[in-house]
């Protein structure tokens, strides 16, 4: 699930004039969350001396059951010259959880998801590469000083349907008048809660 091909070290320069703030919405099936950026240096096993610096938006999968990321908003630089740009991510659920580079697989910690921010920065040349790769990491981190992005999520269609049924069941309980109607409404609510919580999260 990759953003447009942009090198982190030159991100602030390469970005065009088009930018859009993350849209705030009252849609209960969409939400935005500030997520951490994790940076990794991956050293090539196939060509010694080559390396990549990669930055990822990271979030805990368990807290986002039934949600899929669809947009990332990045603030570049520091005030007063900072700017925020937003980009769509490619269709889920192909997260960058097992990104391959140079014979290595770069993966997030257990239970987390990653979306690659840009296409990373790369160094090609003979060993030793350590100093160049560390300098490239420092430049990449400086482009997004707070190491945060705003990641926008929407419910999967299945969970959106289950959430709609849950909402209707909750309203039915409030509207029920008679003892029999309340009992039936509560029973339906219990079923809706169980169906929702098995695969989805608030």
């Amino acid at each position: 699930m990759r953003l447009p091909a942009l090198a982190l070290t030159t991100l602030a320069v390469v970005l065009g004039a088009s930018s859009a703030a993350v849209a705030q919405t009252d849609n209960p099936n969409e939400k935005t969350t500030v997520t951490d950026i994790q940076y990794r240096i991956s050293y090539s096993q196939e060509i010694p001396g080559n390396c990549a610096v990669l930055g990822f938006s990271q979030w805990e999968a368990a807290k986002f059951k039934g949600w899929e990321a669809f947009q990332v908003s990045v603030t570049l630089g520091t005030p007063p010259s900072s700017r925020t740009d937003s980009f769509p991510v490619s269709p889920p659920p192909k997260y960058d959880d097992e990104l391959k580079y140079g014979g290595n697989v770069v993966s997030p910690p257990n239970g987390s998801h990653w979306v690659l921010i840009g296409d990373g920065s790369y160094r090609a040349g003979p060993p030793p590469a350590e100093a160049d790769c560390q300098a490239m990491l420092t430049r990449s981190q400086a482009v997004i000083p707070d190491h945060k992005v705003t990641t926008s999520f929407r419910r999967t269609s299945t969970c959106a349907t289950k959430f709609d049924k849950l909402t209707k069941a909750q309203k039915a309980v409030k509207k029920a008048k008679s003892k029999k109607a309340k009992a039936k409404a509560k029973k339906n609510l219990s079923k809706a809660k169980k169906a929702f919580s098995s695969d989805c999260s608030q």
Side-chain angles (χ1 to χ4, degrees):
M1 182 190 267
R2 200 159 301 178
L3 297 187
L6 299 171
L8 277 170
T9 55
T10 56
L11 193 54
V13 176
V14 176
L15 290 174
S18 62
S19 64
V22 175
Q24 297 300 317
T25 175
D26 293 328
N27 186 341
N29 293 311
E30 292 185 3
K31 65 180 176 180
T32 59
T33 305
V34 176
T35 52
D36 295 321
I37 298 179
Q38 296 296 322
Y39 293 93
R40 292 290 185 275
I41 298 178
S42 182
Y43 296 94
S44 175
Q45 294 178 351
E46 297 167 351
I47 306 176
N50 288 7
C51 68
V53 171
L54 307 165
F56 301 88
S57 166
Q58 177 179 305
W59 67 92
E60 291 182 47
K63 294 182 179 179
F64 291 85
K65 287 195 305 179
W67 294 88
E68 51 195 24
F70 70 92
Q71 181 173 262
V72 173
S73 180
V74 185
T75 298
L76 309 160
T78 54
S81 58
S82 59
R83 58 179 289 180
T84 300
D85 290 86
S86 300
F87 310 94
V89 296
S90 59
K94 295 178 180 178
Y95 299 119
D96 295 301
D97 290 348
E98 291 187 358
L99 188 68
K100 295 180 181 179
Y101 170 77
N104 296 323
V105 176
V106 185
S107 300
N110 262 347
S112 293
H113 282 314
W114 273 358
V115 165
L116 183 65
I117 307 298
D119 264 359
S121 301
Y122 299 86
R123 189 261 192 198
E130 182 64 20
D132 289 344
C133 298
Q134 289 293 339
M136 195 162 60
L137 172 64
T138 300
R139 290 195 298 272
S140 296
Q141 292 172 324
V143 173
I144 309 173
D146 61 359
H147 303 167
K148 300 283 186 182
V149 296
T150 299
T151 304
S152 299
F153 300 86
R154 62 167 62 98
R155 292 190 204 273
T156 62
S157 57
T158 298
C159 285
T161 298
K162 289 184 177 183
F163 182 75
D164 185 50
K165 288 181 179 178
L166 175 60
T167 302
K168 287 180 179 178
Q170 289 170 333
K171 290 179 179 178
V173 170
K174 293 180 180 179
K175 289 182 179 179
K177 301 289 185 181
S178 68
K179 187 176 180 180
K180 185 178 180 180
K182 285 183 179 180
K184 183 179 179 181
K186 286 180 179 179
K187 186 177 180 180
N188 290 336
L189 176 58
S190 179
K191 287 181 180 179
K193 281 182 178 178
K194 187 175 181 180
F196 178 80
S197 61
S198 62
D199 301 306
C200 313
S201 68
Q202 293 284 356

